[in-house]
């Protein structure tokens, strides 16, 4: 059972999201790189969408698809400002005896739409998106053992439960469902209860995990729900016309003719192509030919297109994950397959100085300046710069550093000292002569050139820094498989990355909570977890909460659970046919609803 958490206080963090809006958009201006305007936005991805089921989606590709096709209560624009979605009026709050009831009034003019662009009907009755759809989706998410179930408990609270039978995301019947937290009031009104008023609830409730689901359709499709275009219903500005799968390489979204705000949608649709084996030169060539409208540039092309490319500095960090889940790790890398004079990396990772050596051994400045060259900056912290501010208006990361918490920097001298100590220790423990002992370590990363390139640079640095005493290799695979192996603990080192789900520093810090949904590395610290749990409503003052959160990232970094690499930026070529396009930090990368073409 995934750990279910108590409520967390909103309104405690003063946030400032880094972003770029349509005013900052650059496009080629010489006419040679302009895609013919047929009303569609076309772009290419290397990774197909893992899931369009809002109950189990956890990655950016899935959130992009959900953002295109589902309407949550609010919709965030490129400045992370919540605009009207399914919530027709502001959410009202009433507080009695410390419990706040949040009442949501939905619009009554939005429909469920099929992959053919038709209104979905049941027994001849056209199906509108109603309160039942939100109540069912939120209850099912909270009651299921899925990655984002904790967000429901964090927001709604668990005041009571009942043993109503529901179908979970695996298509199995389970006897658990929230009751008192959330309920339908009328056809287009529902309410939920918390122990506080949610200060930035509009931003959080625009996140794709809070999308509605039609209960009857969901139960009818069962385990096949959202796996094909036929098994999916749409409520957003676009409907899913085609879904890339084993036989199709393009996902197509068409403008939804039954969407409540259809007049605001200025494009005909989106064509998202997938080429798993495409190399950067192929993607740039497709752009030059006019076959795609946007492409993220890799280092080889940034200098060439610098004058017409747009740089977006995001609130996303990339890092190495250092796995301490020894048993799960050894399931993937059994000791029986290790040469007699080699130490299995799963064993070596149990030594904190070995983890420290890895974390301090690679040149971050070389990675961002010579490998990526896309505006990304070297990072010593898990949290990104410029994402959230403290009560006094200071950047959260800057404030941590003013307290002496400088994070993990590249320190080759200390890395060598730590490695030599750990190497001698783990080799002796494995009854291997230190002079002839080699530690095998593997870095797992999804098979996309952008990520593989900088992981290969890290591998080279590790092998060079520690000479013949270590054998670092790289394992690549499809994104879906990498996610599964990380979740199962079937890795030694892995490339990790995170972007915010909501505008509070806890959206990063909770990843390493004991028994937390995303704690794939097995980090275990009682003090760390206590602070995270108390941050959800148990601190007496905002300042007390902030002081505690400023302190705890150091606990994780001092354990070398995560080793920061960089804060990501993207350098993107946009076709000159764009007049406007929104980039975002929370949820999906792009908001296409308000895109405009010339």
């Amino acid at each position: 059972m995934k750990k279910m958490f108590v409520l967390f206080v909103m309104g405690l963090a003063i946030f400032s999201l880094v972003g770029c809006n349509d005013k900052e958009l650059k496009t080629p201006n010489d006419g040679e790189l302009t895609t013919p305007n047929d009303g569609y936005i076309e772009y290419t991805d290397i990774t197909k969408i893992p899931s369009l089921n809002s109950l189990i989606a956890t990655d950016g590709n899935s959130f992009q698809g959900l953002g295109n096709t589902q309407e949550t209560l609010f919709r965030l624009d490129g400045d992370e400002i919540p605009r009207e979605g399914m919530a027709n009026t502001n959410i009202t709050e009433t507080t009695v005896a410390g419990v706040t009831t949040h009442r949501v009034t939905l619009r009554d003019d939005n429909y469920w739409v099929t992959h053919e662009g038709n209104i979905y009907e049941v027994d001849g009755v056209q199906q509108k998106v109603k309160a039942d759809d939100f109540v069912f989706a939120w209850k099912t998410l909270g009651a299921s053992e899925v990655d984002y179930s904790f967000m429901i408990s964090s927001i709604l609270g668990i005041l009571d439960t009942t043993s109503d039978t529901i179908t979970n995301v695996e298509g199995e019947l389970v006897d658990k469902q929230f009751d008192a937290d959330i309920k339908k009031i009328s056809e287009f009104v529902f309410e939920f209860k918390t122990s506080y008023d949610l200060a930035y609830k509009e931003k959080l409730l625009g996140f794709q995990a809070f999308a509605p689901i039609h209960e009857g359709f969901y139960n009818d499709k069962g385990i096949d729900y959202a796996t094909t275009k036929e098994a999916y219903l749409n409520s957003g500005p676009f409907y899913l016309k085609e879904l890339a799968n084993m036989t199709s390489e393009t996902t197509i979204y068409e403008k939804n003719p039954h969407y409540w705000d259809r007049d605001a949608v200025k494009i005909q649709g989106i064509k998202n192509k997938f080429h798993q084996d495409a190399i950067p030169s192929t993607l740039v060539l497709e752009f030059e030919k006019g076959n795609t409208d946007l492409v993220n540039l890799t280092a080889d092309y940034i200098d060439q297109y610098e004058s017409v490319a747009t740089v977006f500095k995001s609130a996303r960090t990339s890092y190495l994950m250092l796995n301490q889940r020894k048993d799960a790790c050894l399931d993937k890398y059994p000791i029986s397959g290790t040469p007699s004079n080699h130490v299995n990396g799963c064993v070596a990772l149990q030594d904190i100085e070995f983890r420290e050596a890895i974390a301090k051994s690679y040149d971050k400045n070389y990675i961002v300046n010579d490998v990526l060259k896309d505006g990304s900056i070297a990072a010593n912290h898990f949290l990104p710069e410029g994402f959230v501010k403290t009560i006094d208006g200071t950047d959260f990361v800057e404030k941590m550093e003013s307290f002496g918490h400088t994070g993990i920097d590249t320190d080759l001298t200390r890395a060598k000292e730590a490695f030599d100590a750990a190497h001698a220790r783990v080799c002796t423990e494995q009854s291997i002569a230190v002079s002839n002992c080699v530690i095998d370590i593997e870095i797992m990363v999804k098979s996309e050139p952008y990520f593989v390139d900088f992981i290969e640079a890290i591998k080279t640095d590790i092998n060079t820094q520690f000479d013949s005493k270590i054998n670092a290799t790289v394992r690549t695979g499809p994104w879906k498989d990498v996610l599964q192996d990380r979740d199962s603990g079937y890795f030694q080192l892995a490339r990790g990355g995170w972007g915010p789900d909501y505008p509070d520093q806890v959206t990063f810090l909770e990843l390493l909570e004991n028994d937390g949904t995303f704690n794939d590395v097995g980090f275990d610290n009682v003090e760390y977890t206590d602070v995270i749990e108390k941050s959800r409503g148990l601190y007496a003052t905002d300042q007390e909460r902030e002081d505690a959160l400023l302190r705890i990232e150091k606990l994780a970094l001092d354990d070398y659970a995560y080793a920061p690499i960089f804060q990501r930026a993207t350098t993107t070529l946009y076709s000159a046919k764009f007049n406007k396009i929104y980039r975002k930090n929370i949820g999906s990368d792009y908001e296409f609803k308000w895109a405009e073409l010339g």
Side-chain angles (χ1 to χ4, degrees):
M1 178 69 182
K2 299 287 185 185
K3 189 167 184 178
M4 308 298 286
F5 301 121
V6 297
L7 304 167
F8 62 92
V9 169
M10 301 297 183
L12 301 180
I14 302 171
F15 56 90
S16 174
L17 288 169
V18 178
C20 77
N21 56 36
D22 54 287
K23 295 179 182 178
E24 297 171 312
L25 181 66
K26 293 182 183 178
T27 60
N29 54 17
D30 58 7
E32 296 180 2
L33 302 178
T34 301
T35 308
N37 182 6
D38 59 359
Y40 288 87
I41 293 173
E42 300 187 31
Y43 68 100
T44 301
D45 271 327
I46 294 176
T47 304
K48 292 183 180 179
I49 297 171
S51 179
L52 280 175
N53 184 343
S54 59
L55 300 175
I56 61 177
T58 61
D59 68 290
N61 286 43
S62 298
F63 291 150
Q64 186 63 65
L66 286 163
N68 294 341
T69 59
Q70 298 297 337
E71 191 75 340
T72 47
L73 294 182
F74 301 92
R75 184 169 286 271
L76 302 185
D77 65 19
D79 295 315
E80 312 292 346
I81 296 173
R83 299 197 190 181
E84 189 176 4
M86 277 303 301
N88 196 26
T89 61
N90 291 330
I91 298 176
T92 60
E93 299 86 29
T94 304
T95 302
V96 178
V99 175
T100 298
T101 300
H102 307 263
R103 178 162 290 198
V104 184
T105 301
L106 303 175
R107 61 178 55 263
D108 61 3
D109 57 351
N110 203 37
Y111 292 87
W112 287 111
V113 174
T114 70
H115 72 283
E116 296 174 324
N118 300 322
I119 296 175
Y120 178 63
E121 296 185 1
V122 176
D123 297 328
V125 178
Q126 293 182 335
Q127 300 295 292
K128 292 184 176 182
V129 183
K130 300 179 180 179
D132 282 332
D133 302 317
F134 282 92
V135 172
F136 172 74
W138 290 13
K139 286 183 176 181
T140 305
L141 177 62
S144 302
E145 295 187 35
V146 293
D147 287 341
Y148 277 113
S149 61
F150 75 92
M151 296 189 75
I152 290 294
S153 58
S154 295
I155 291 174
L156 305 179
I158 303 176
L159 305 179
D160 195 9
T161 58
T162 184
S163 58
D164 293 345
T165 299
I166 64 169
T167 304
N168 69 9
V169 293
E170 287 79 27
E172 303 167 338
L173 293 177
V174 294
D175 292 329
K176 184 177 182 183
Q177 188 169 2
F178 293 112
D179 182 32
D181 322 74
I182 173 174
K183 63 181 179 180
K184 170 185 173 182
I185 302 301
S186 63
E187 191 173 26
F188 295 102
V189 179
F190 73 96
E191 67 181 27
F192 59 94
K193 298 180 180 180
T194 71
S195 63
Y196 54 86
D197 180 17
L198 206 61
Y200 52 78
K201 58 183 172 291
E202 289 87 357
K203 289 180 180 287
L204 185 55
L205 296 178
F207 184 50
Q208 284 79 18
F210 296 100
I213 296 176
H214 189 287
E215 180 176 4
F217 186 86
Y218 175 88
N219 288 333
D220 179 60
K221 299 303 179 183
I223 196 171
D224 294 326
Y225 174 73
T227 59
T228 65
K229 62 183 181 182
E230 293 84 1
Y232 189 68
L233 289 181
N234 308 264
S235 65
F238 305 94
Y239 68 89
L240 181 69
K241 183 177 181 180
E242 297 290 343
L243 178 62
N245 50 38
M246 296 299 292
T247 59
S248 172
E249 292 299 324
T250 303
T251 291
I252 300 176
Y253 307 94
E254 291 281 346
K255 179 177 178 178
N256 183 352
H258 308 290
Y259 178 57
W260 72 272
D261 199 21
R262 52 190 172 274
D263 290 343
V265 181
K266 304 301 184 183
I267 64 173
Q268 181 60 36
I270 306 152
K271 296 179 181 179
N272 189 190
K273 303 174 185 178
F274 296 89
H275 296 292
Q276 182 172 336
D277 299 323
I279 58 177
S281 59
T282 301
L283 299 180
V284 172
L285 182 60
E286 286 291 291
F287 183 89
E288 291 178 337
K289 290 180 176 178
N291 295 331
T292 187
D293 298 321
L294 60 91
V295 60
N296 290 334
L297 296 175
T298 55
D300 292 339
Y301 297 93
I302 287 175
D303 290 341
Q304 179 180 349
Y305 294 104
E306 183 178 10
S307 64
V308 292
T310 298
V311 177
F312 176 74
K313 180 184 175 184
S314 71
R316 300 173 186 268
T317 53
S318 281
Y319 44 85
L320 280 185
M321 305 168 64
L322 292 83
N323 190 13
Q324 299 178 50
R325 297 163 64 185
K326 184 177 178 180
D327 291 343
C329 184
L330 288 173
D331 284 343
K332 178 70 176 179
Y333 310 91
I335 291 178
S336 59
T338 304
S340 59
N341 68 320
H342 284 229
V343 173
N344 189 301
C346 304
V347 175
L349 282 166
Q350 306 308 302
D351 189 291
I352 189 171
E353 284 196 288
F354 179 75
R355 298 196 299 273
E356 179 184 5
I358 295 295
K360 295 181 175 180
S361 65
Y362 47 87
D363 188 342
K364 301 173 189 179
N365 288 323
Y366 173 77
I367 289 172
V368 297
N369 294 328
D370 296 277
V371 178
L372 301 178
K373 298 196 294 187
D374 58 3
S376 297
I377 60 173
N380 293 335
H381 292 272
F382 177 39
L383 274 73
E385 297 178 2
F387 168 55
V388 65
K389 292 184 178 180
T390 58
I391 293 170
D392 65 7
T394 306
D395 180 79
F396 194 83
V397 172
E398 181 182 339
K399 190 66 170 284
M400 284 193 295
E401 294 189 338
S402 72
F403 286 169
H405 171 26
T406 57
I408 301 174
D409 59 357
T410 301
D411 186 341
L412 300 185
T413 300
R414 175 54 195 157
K416 184 68 164 56
E417 293 172 352
F419 180 83
D420 287 343
H423 178 262
R425 190 161 44 245
V426 298
C427 292
T428 300
E429 289 172 354
Q430 299 301 308
S431 301
I432 302 173
V434 174
S435 61
N436 193 37
C437 183
V438 178
I439 298 176
D440 292 325
I441 196 74
E442 180 184 82
I443 312 173
M444 180 177 69
V445 61
K446 71 174 179 177
S447 50
E448 184 174 330
Y450 173 89
F451 298 100
V452 173
D453 285 351
F454 71 77
I455 290 299
E456 285 284 352
I458 290 175
K459 179 202 73 173
T460 299
D461 279 352
I462 291 173
N463 283 331
T464 301
Q465 173 71 2
F466 308 126
D467 199 18
S468 59
K469 296 178 180 179
I470 196 166
N471 175 38
T473 56
V474 174
R475 169 164 64 100
T476 65
W479 183 223
K480 187 174 183 179
D481 294 345
V482 168
L483 287 174
Q484 290 175 344
D485 279 359
R486 282 186 359 194
D487 184 61
S488 301
Y490 296 160
F491 68 97
Q492 294 177 344
L493 304 178
R495 198 287 308 183
W498 194 255
D501 295 330
Y502 51 90
D504 186 84
Q505 56 269 51
V506 174
T507 190
F508 284 88
L509 296 173
E510 67 189 356
L511 266 64
L512 287 171
E513 190 169 11
N514 290 3
D515 300 324
T517 298
F518 296 103
N519 187 356
D520 294 334
V521 298
F523 174 69
D524 185 359
N525 185 288
V526 174
E527 180 183 358
Y528 187 98
T529 295
D530 180 63
V531 170
I532 294 297
E533 290 183 343
K534 289 176 68 177
S535 74
R536 300 183 177 109
L538 300 179
Y539 282 110
T541 67
D542 294 358
Q543 190 64 59
E544 185 182 1
R545 177 185 191 262
E546 180 179 286
D547 290 346
L549 291 174
L550 282 166
R551 184 180 76 250
I552 65 166
E553 188 202 45
K554 187 174 189 298
L555 299 176
L557 294 186
D558 283 352
D559 188 71
Y560 303 100
Y562 284 171
I565 308 171
F566 61 87
Q567 182 173 337
R568 188 173 183 182
T570 54
T571 299
T572 306
L573 278 179
Y574 294 99
S575 166
K577 79 183 195 183
F578 281 112
N579 285 337
K580 180 187 295 183
I581 189 169
Y582 284 116
R583 280 296 310 259
K584 303 187 353 319
N585 269 309
I586 297 177
S588 58
D589 285 342
Y590 287 97
E591 178 50 73
F592 288 120
K593 172 180 174 176
W594 295 292
E596 294 182 10
L597 305 178

